[in-house]
């Protein structure tokens, strides 16, 4: 008989030998058994059910498939989102972007729940759906160039009962002619050279169009900074996630486009890296 404890010990050791994080073993085990961590700890001495299925998942991860793609889900801002190879897996740093938008919206608008919000490059819909649920009466529109990504996002909105309008299109193009109170985006920002050096867990399994932002990584920011002055309301709020060396350059783009109409703020994440740029438009 193989116990749950023995299965976890084998999986942790196997992943370490293959250059993967041992902690992924517990994550996959909880998924396999559909248990919380507390429930898992209570059955450590029990016989391991579905051992062959669990071993298969461990081998998949060891071969380079991300845990989130094996489980087809990821936690974000206290909620579970479905993910697959058509969308970028939501990262913890992006939760800080959502929190930054919420805190600034509450200071800027008399009733932020009545605001119009656009999430540009929505992917799994994590940002748009989180904002829609936190600001329950807001008018949230999410845009993506990928039809496959929009299908994932729409499914997440249904599962989480979030009122979001999903639009297929290229950045701000589908919203031309509209005035928007809040624009938020975590666009592709990796340069073509840096893409080649990415961890294969990311490079080989997440969509390139959700990762690469042109030769130098700034293509999408340039386009957003150019088009936003005609579309953002006054007052208005802009929030971008950026690569850890890009914040000052992206801030400069917004300042160049808006002039004295905007107050730009570069914000560090919990790790002390400059990963967010916010702009308040007068």
């Amino acid at each position: 008989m193989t116990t749950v404890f023995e299965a976890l010990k084998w999986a942790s050791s196997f992943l370490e030998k293959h250059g993967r994080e041992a902690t992924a073993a517990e994550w996959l085990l909880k998924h396999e058994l559909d248990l919380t961590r507390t429930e898992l700890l209570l059955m450590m001495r029990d016989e391991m059910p579905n051992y062959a299925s669990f071993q298969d998942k461990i081998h998949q991860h060891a071969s380079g498939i991300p845990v989130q793609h094996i489980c087809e889900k990821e936690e974000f801002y206290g909620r579970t989102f479905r993910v697959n190879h058509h969308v970028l897996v939501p990262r913890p740093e992006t939760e800080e972007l959502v929190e930054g938008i919420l805190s600034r919206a509450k200071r800027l608008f008399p009733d932020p729940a009545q605001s119009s919000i656009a999430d540009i490059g929505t992917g799994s819909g994590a940002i748009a759906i989180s904002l829609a649920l936190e600001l329950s009466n807001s008018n949230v529109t999410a845009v993506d160039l990928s039809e496959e990504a929009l299908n994932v996002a729409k499914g997440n909105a249904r599962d989480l009962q979030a009122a979001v309008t999903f639009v297929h299109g290229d950045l701000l193009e589908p919203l031309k002619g509209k005035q928007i109170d809040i624009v938020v985006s975590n666009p592709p920002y990796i340069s073509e050279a840096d893409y080649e050096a990415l961890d294969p867990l990311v490079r080989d399994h997440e969509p390139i169009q959700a990762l690469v932002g042109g030769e130098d990584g700034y293509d999408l920011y340039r386009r957003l900074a150019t088009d936003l002055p005609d579309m953002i309301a006054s007052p208005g709020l802009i929030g971008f996630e950026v690569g850890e060396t890009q914040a000052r350059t992206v801030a400069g783009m917004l300042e160049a486009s808006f002039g004295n109409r905007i107050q730009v703020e570069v914000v560090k994440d919990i790790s002390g890296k400059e990963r967010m740029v916010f702009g308040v438009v007068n």
Side-chain angles (χ1 to χ4, degrees):
M1 179 187 84
T2 300
T3 65
V4 171
F5 174 79
E6 289 168 338
L8 179 59
K9 186 177 179 181
W10 165 79
S12 300
S13 176
F14 185 85
L15 290 177
E16 280 190 326
K17 288 177 181 175
H18 287 78
R20 306 296 176 203
E21 293 287 339
T23 51
E26 182 179 314
W27 194 355
L28 288 167
L29 185 56
K30 288 188 295 183
H31 172 71
E32 181 66 43
L33 301 179
D34 193 22
L35 299 173
T36 66
R37 190 168 195 273
T38 300
E39 291 168 337
L40 178 64
L41 292 173
L42 289 173
M43 65 177 294
M44 280 291 179
R45 299 299 171 184
D46 295 353
E47 183 175 1
M48 174 67 194
N50 308 325
Y51 191 27
S53 174
F54 175 59
Q55 287 178 305
D56 179 60
K57 289 179 174 63
I58 293 298
H59 281 97
Q60 287 182 54
H61 184 52
S63 73
I65 299 176
V67 169
Q68 296 91 339
H69 288 175
I70 298 170
C71 299
E72 296 187 331
K73 63 183 180 181
E74 177 62 301
E75 299 298 312
F76 183 86
Y77 216 77
R79 303 176 178 96
T80 300
F81 287 79
R82 296 285 179 180
V83 297
N84 60 26
H85 64 281
H86 293 300
V87 299
L88 195 70
V89 174
R91 267 63 167 181
E93 307 91 277
T94 308
E95 294 179 330
E96 297 184 59
L97 177 65
V98 170
E99 186 59 36
I101 288 289
L102 290 172
S103 62
R104 286 163 179 78
K106 289 169 185 175
R107 295 198 301 265
L108 185 62
F109 302 107
D111 185 3
Q114 297 290 334
S115 57
S116 59
I117 302 171
D119 174 26
I120 308 302
T122 196
S124 66
I127 294 174
I129 291 167
S130 298
L131 291 173
L133 292 173
E134 296 298 319
L135 301 173
S136 56
N137 293 317
S138 57
N139 177 16
V140 181
T141 302
V143 180
D144 206 287
L145 188 60
S146 166
E147 291 276 19
E148 294 84 1
L150 285 173
N151 287 335
V152 174
K154 289 174 184 176
N156 281 323
R158 284 194 299 270
D159 291 345
L160 295 167
Q161 299 183 341
V164 178
T165 300
F166 293 97
V167 179
H168 177 249
D170 188 10
L171 296 182
L172 293 166
E173 287 294 331
L175 307 179
K176 284 289 178 68
K178 296 184 178 181
Q179 287 285 291
I180 304 161
D181 297 313
I182 301 171
V183 173
V184 59
S185 185
N186 177 21
Y189 54 69
I190 296 170
S191 70
E192 292 175 0
D194 288 344
Y195 175 74
E196 298 302 323
L198 279 179
D199 184 332
L201 280 173
V202 176
R203 187 188 64 228
D204 297 344
H205 296 280
E206 299 197 62
I208 186 171
Q209 72 178 31
L211 293 167
V212 177
E215 184 176 357
D216 64 357
Y218 290 103
D219 281 4
L220 286 303
Y221 297 114
R222 289 190 186 95
R223 291 179 57 196
L224 288 168
T226 298
D227 292 341
L228 274 170
D230 293 330
M231 303 182 66
I232 196 78
S234 179
L237 176 62
I238 299 166
F240 292 152
E241 183 173 328
V242 299
E244 59 185 76
T245 63
Q246 296 176 319
R248 302 290 166 171
T249 301
V250 172
M253 291 177 185
L254 288 175
E255 289 167 340
S257 289
F258 282 90
N260 59 11
R261 289 181 58 206
I262 196 168
Q263 292 177 301
V264 178
E265 181 185 8
V266 170
V267 177
K268 294 179 180 178
D269 66 11
I270 197 170
S271 301
K273 298 174 181 176
E274 295 182 339
R275 295 297 309 278
M276 288 160 282
V277 176
F278 294 100
V280 174
V281 179
N282 302 315

